[in-house]
């Protein structure tokens, strides 16, 4: 069945109301073909756990029909309605919608053309009976009256922490207490899920404090809020690392996250018969064993540092280290520094070394996408994440949902015009970089930074000044792979010799399932497969097409194992859906999962 909408005879509101009514009736009848007929021939339905208990996108009418056949009955979705007045532009009607499922409350977004639904986003944001205690449902904070043996808030928190791992067990253990683990920990606390977040550093935020001193966020403040607590109105647009570290430490305390610092996870194993993990921890030198039902690896989107094995590393007399362990530029004034790599960390480190009087050479091994920070903010992010967006009523939630409403398959169509405009605006900048010998790209399909990040998590630099040093020759540029290190130099494949007192390997990170191999087993890592990427079949993102980030924030092929991470925006947004999935399992709510992908790439 195919429905064609007459755009000339109805208002945008009429069209949306009519479509939602037909959609709900067809769902109630479990008529998958009728539902599919409400979608355009080329169409996309992105569901974040509302129907599928998964993060999944289906395409075109066949995909819609398959999702409905598998998920509609259990989902029990109903009560579809608009939540604000729809808009229409260029033949596309857009509407924000609300609905209910059998177990929760949902919200979403719809784009209609005269052929039917072009894109549909459905998300679950709340479980019935397990609503977060906020707003009118906030806790009183005190129990009035007189009761012998009453514990104060502080005493109750201390008792909870003391019991965990001895007389009580967490339902969830989160390994990794950076921004991702902390954001998820806040969600778990608000949902009443017994949890422990463990991290090897002495204090929350040390993951940021321990990095090179010039590090700062390249994303603007409006993009980087954590759940529940926004940065204050006087927070800098681009926060320095130590300020972020202090915010994370404060946030961990006030959100009452069960956070175990100075704690290293040494081993984890899953008992399928018991349906639980054995997680072995070194907590300040004491071995502690926890037995959670669910294990989340929140070790960052990038996984373990990639340190290349290069002949001669053992005989090099200077300092050499990965960028993740770079101490900063202070000790290298007047030294010869060679930085291998040409992405964000490489540029930041080169700039700081140059500022402190080092002789700096950047080794570019492959092309890099560069975008000026001001241009990215003005043309790429301003509409959703900016002070003007806030003034226009674009809340963080609405911005996140708008971004989420664009299916990954067609996101490049939305991004390419932005980067075409950026290339025109900054044409002289790019010309000077290329004349200096810098190898530029805008992604495999000219779609720019966001797609590069989503596909491979690397290959780009948001320019905050270092590119000028490359363009004018203050930071020297070399090209190619490294053949060997001598006692005092880096030698490239073409025989070029770069004298060096320090070598920094700004060579990126591996897949997150490298941590699964180390902590659990290679077998489990291979069962799960590659983490991150879309399957776009572009450089460093091999196919087949996945439609969503591989294995992130959703069920994996290892029971009870989850991955969480990404930038601050993703840590905030997707922690909600991961926390709801964990809460449903904690409370015994059925979670029939649709669309767990096959494993195509090993660890």
């Amino acid at each position: 069945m195919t429905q064609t909408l007459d755009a000339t005879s109805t208002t945008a509101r009429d069209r949306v109301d009519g479509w939602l009514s037909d959609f709900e009736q067809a769902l109630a009848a479990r008529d998958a073909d009728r539902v599919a007929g409400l979608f355009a021939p080329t169409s996309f339905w992105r569901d974040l756990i509302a129907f599928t208990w998964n993060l999944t996108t289906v395409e075109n009418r066949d995909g819609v029909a398959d999702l409905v056949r598998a998920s509609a009955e259990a989902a029990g979705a109903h009560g579809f309605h608009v939540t604000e007045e729809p808009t229409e532009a260029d033949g596309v009607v857009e509407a924000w919608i609300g609905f209910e499922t059998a177990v929760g409350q949902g919200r979403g977004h719809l784009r209609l053309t005269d052929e039917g639904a072009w894109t549909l986003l459905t998300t679950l944001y709340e479980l019935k009976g397990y609503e977060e205690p906020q707003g009118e449902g906030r806790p009183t904070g005190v129990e009035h009256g007189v009761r012998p043996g009453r514990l104060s808030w502080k005493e109750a928190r201390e008792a909870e922490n003391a019991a965990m791992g001895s007389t009580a067990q967490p339902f969830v253990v989160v390994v990794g207490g950076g921004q991702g683990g902390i954001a998820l920990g806040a969600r778990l606390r608000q949902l009443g899920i017994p949890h422990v977040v463990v991290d090897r550093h002495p204090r929350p935020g040390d993951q940021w404090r321990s990095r090179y001193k010039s590090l700062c966020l390249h994303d603007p403040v409006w993009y980087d809020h954590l759940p529940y607590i926004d940065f204050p109105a006087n927070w800098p647009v681009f926060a320095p690392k130590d300020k972020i570290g202090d915010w994370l430490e404060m946030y961990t305390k006030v959100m009452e996250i069960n956070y175990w610092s100075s704690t290293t996870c040494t081993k984890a194993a899953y008992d399928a018969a018991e349906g639980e993990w054995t997680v072995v921890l070194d907590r300040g030198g004491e071995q502690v064993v926890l037995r959670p039902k669910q294990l989340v690896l929140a070790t960052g989107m990038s996984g373990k540092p990639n340190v290349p094995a290069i002949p001669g590393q053992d005989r090099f007399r200077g300092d050499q280290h990965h960028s993740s362990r770079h101490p900063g530029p202070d000790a290298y004034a007047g030294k010869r520094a060679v930085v291998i790599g040409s992405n964000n960390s490489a540029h930041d480190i080169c700039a700081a070394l140059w500022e402190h009087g080092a002789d700096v050479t950047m080794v570019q091994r492959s092309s890099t996408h560069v975008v000026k920070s001001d241009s990215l903010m003005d043309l790429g992010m301003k509409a959703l994440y900016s002070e003007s967006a806030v003034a226009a009523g674009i809340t963080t939630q609405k911005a996140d949902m708008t971004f989420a409403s664009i299916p990954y398959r067609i996101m490049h169509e939305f991004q390419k015009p932005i980067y075409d405009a950026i290339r025109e605006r900054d044409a002289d900048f790019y010309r000077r970089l290329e004349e200096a010998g810098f190898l530029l790209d805008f992604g495999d399909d000219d779609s720019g930074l966001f797609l590069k990040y989503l596909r491979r998590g690397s290959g780009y630099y948001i320019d905050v000044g270092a590119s000028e040093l490359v363009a004018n020759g203050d930071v020297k540029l070399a090209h190619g792979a490294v053949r060997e290190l001598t006692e005092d130099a880096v030698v490239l494949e073409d025989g070029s010799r770069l004298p060096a007192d320090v070598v920094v390997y700004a060579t990126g990170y591996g897949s997150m399932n490298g941590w699964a191999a180390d902590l659990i087993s290679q077998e489990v890592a291979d069962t799960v497969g590659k983490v991150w990427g879309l399957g776009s079949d572009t450089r460093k993102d091999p196919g087949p097409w996945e439609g969503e980030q591989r294995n992130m924030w959703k069920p994996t092929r290892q029971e009870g194992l989850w991955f969480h991470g990404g930038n601050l925006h993703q840590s905030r947004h997707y922690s909600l859906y991961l926390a709801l999935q964990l809460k449903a399992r904690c409370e015994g709510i059925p979670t029939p999962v649709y669309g767990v992908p096959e494993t195509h790439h090993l660890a």
Side-chain angles (χ1 to χ4, degrees):
M1 173 180 175
T2 301
Q3 179 192 57
T4 300
L5 298 173
D6 182 357
T8 63
S9 61
T10 57
T11 66
R13 177 62 181 267
D14 291 336
R15 294 174 65 189
V16 172
D17 285 345
W19 191 92
L20 291 176
S21 177
D22 290 346
F23 182 63
E24 183 166 340
Q25 291 176 34
L27 284 175
R30 308 292 184 254
D31 190 336
D33 291 334
R34 183 178 165 196
V35 174
L38 296 170
F39 284 73
T42 299
S43 51
F44 308 88
W45 181 355
R46 187 179 192 208
D47 182 66
L48 305 184
I49 77 172
F51 281 72
T52 62
W53 288 108
N54 199 354
L55 276 62
T56 190
T57 300
V58 295
E59 300 183 4
N60 307 329
R61 290 169 175 164
D62 288 346
V64 169
D66 189 67
L67 186 154
V68 170
R69 291 187 189 103
S71 305
E73 184 167 355
H78 62 281
F80 288 88
H81 62 281
V82 298
T83 57
E84 59 184 76
E85 200 62 29
T87 61
E88 183 171 6
D90 299 324
V92 179
V93 173
E94 295 193 44
W96 294 102
I97 63 174
F99 60 95
E100 293 185 39
T101 71
V103 300
Q105 303 290 342
R107 58 170 69 102
H109 185 272
L110 172 68
R111 290 184 180 90
L112 280 177
T113 70
D114 59 1
E115 294 184 301
W118 177 33
T119 71
L120 174 65
L121 169 70
T122 49
T123 76
L124 194 70
Y125 71 89
E126 189 173 69
L127 293 172
K128 296 175 183 176
Y130 303 101
E131 295 81 2
E132 292 188 16
Q134 55 181 301
E136 293 186 357
R138 73 173 70 226
T140 59
V142 65
E143 181 183 345
H144 294 296
V146 179
R147 180 168 56 83
R150 181 205 304 265
L151 295 179
S152 68
W153 171 86
K154 183 174 183 291
E155 290 168 333
R157 287 287 292 133
E158 289 172 343
E160 179 184 5
N161 284 325
M164 195 62 70
S166 56
T167 59
Q169 288 292 331
F171 183 76
V172 181
V173 167
V174 181
V175 178
Q179 63 205 33
I182 286 172
L184 180 60
R187 301 278 194 191
L188 299 177
R189 163 60 69 180
Q190 292 305 298
L191 286 168
I193 303 174
H195 70 279
V196 172
V197 178
V198 304
D199 194 88
R200 62 183 176 85
H201 292 89
R203 296 161 55 196
D206 279 349
Q207 303 84 354
W208 286 84
R209 296 187 190 97
S210 61
R211 297 294 305 278
Y212 53 91
K213 74 177 188 178
S214 64
L215 178 66
C216 67
L217 285 174
H218 289 187
D219 299 321
V221 61
W222 308 278
Y223 188 74
D224 292 327
H225 296 303
L226 291 175
Y228 310 112
I229 304 177
D230 286 356
F231 292 112
N234 64 343
W235 195 263
V237 175
F238 303 107
K241 70 178 184 73
D242 295 288
K243 195 171 180 68
I244 288 291
D246 290 346
W247 181 265
L248 291 174
E249 185 170 23
M250 177 279 298
Y251 182 90
T252 301
K253 291 178 181 178
V254 301
M255 293 307 297
E256 302 180 21
I257 299 168
N258 291 337
Y259 192 100
W260 288 7
S261 57
S262 301
T263 302
T264 302
C265 181
T266 60
K267 190 67 179 173
Y270 187 70
D271 185 329
E274 295 294 327
E276 68 180 24
W277 292 89
T278 299
V279 179
V280 181
L281 305 172
D282 180 336
R283 191 180 186 192
E286 176 187 357
Q287 179 174 294
V288 178
V289 179
L290 298 178
R291 302 189 186 280
K293 299 295 185 182
Q294 308 291 330
L295 178 64
V296 180
L297 298 187
T299 49
M301 56 146 278
S302 303
K304 299 170 63 177
N306 279 331
V307 181
I310 300 172
Q313 286 173 313
D314 56 341
R315 67 175 183 265
F316 180 67
R317 292 195 298 255
D319 294 342
Q320 54 179 318
H321 49 260
H322 189 265
S323 59
S324 61
R325 298 191 175 277
H326 182 60
D330 298 38
Y332 304 114
K335 302 291 187 181
R336 301 165 299 178
V338 174
V339 178
I340 300 172
S342 57
N343 297 331
N344 263 333
S345 293
H347 278 84
D348 284 349
I349 290 169
C350 284
L353 287 167
W354 180 86
E355 286 181 333
H356 283 73
D359 182 319
V360 187
T361 300
M362 175 190 290
V363 179
Q364 187 178 30
R365 300 170 300 160
S366 59
S367 64
T368 302
H369 171 57
V370 176
V371 58
K372 292 175 74 71
S373 178
D374 289 348
S375 297
L376 179 62
M377 298 308 109
D378 289 346
L379 300 176
M381 303 185 76
K382 188 175 183 178
L384 295 180
Y385 299 100
S386 67
E387 204 63 42
S388 60
V390 172
I394 306 296
T395 63
T396 303
Q397 178 198 93
K398 190 170 186 178
D400 291 350
M401 289 286 286
T402 301
F403 195 72
S405 75
I406 303 172
Y408 290 132
R409 175 76 86 176
I410 58 173
M411 186 172 285
H412 67 285
E413 297 176 16
F414 289 76
Q415 292 293 308
K416 285 177 70 173
I418 294 171
Y419 287 91
D420 288 344
I422 287 174
R423 290 170 94 161
E424 182 176 351
R425 169 175 167 162
D426 296 324
D428 181 65
F429 167 73
Y430 291 123
R431 177 188 58 76
R432 289 186 294 111
L433 265 182
E434 291 186 309
E435 286 177 352
F438 194 85
L439 304 176
L440 278 169
D441 72 59
F442 279 77
D444 287 29
D445 54 5
D446 290 334
S447 57
L449 184 142
F450 281 121
L451 268 300
K452 260 207 164 185
Y453 172 73
L454 294 168
R455 290 165 175 169
R456 52 182 280 191
S458 64
Y460 53 84
Y461 169 55
I462 301 174
D463 178 42
V464 292
S467 288
E468 290 297 333
L469 298 176
V470 174
N472 64 26
D474 287 327
V475 168
K476 295 189 285 291
L477 193 61
H479 296 96
V482 177
R483 187 174 74 194
E484 63 176 330
L485 269 61
T486 66
E487 290 83 354
D488 60 358
V490 174
V491 181
L492 303 182
E493 285 288 1
D494 65 1
S496 301
R497 185 177 181 278
L498 309 175
D501 302 302
V502 57
V503 176
V504 181
Y505 300 108
T507 45
Y509 299 81
S511 175
M512 285 177 69
N513 60 2
W515 291 114
D518 286 354
L519 297 178
I520 308 169
S521 69
Q522 187 65 51
E523 180 183 4
V524 166
D526 287 344
T527 297
V528 170
K530 182 178 174 65
V531 180
W532 203 262
L534 302 174
S536 62
D537 209 23
T538 58
R539 178 173 161 79
K540 295 190 178 181
D541 184 28
W545 178 250
E546 303 273 352
E548 295 285 338
Q549 292 286 355
R550 290 188 190 93
N551 288 311
M552 292 295 295
W553 316 296
K554 59 185 178 180
T556 68
R557 288 203 166 267
Q558 169 58 55
E559 183 70 26
L561 179 64
W562 311 76
F563 292 88
H564 175 60
N567 58 28
L568 280 158
H569 158 265
Q570 291 169 308
S571 295
R572 171 187 69 245
H573 183 63
Y574 290 104
S575 60
L576 170 62
Y577 308 115
L578 176 50
L580 288 173
Q581 291 172 86
L582 294 169
K583 179 64 173 178
R585 286 161 173 79
C586 184
E587 301 299 340
I589 297 171
T591 56
V593 177
Y594 169 83
V596 177
E598 297 295 327
T599 300
H600 298 288
H601 307 286
L602 303 184

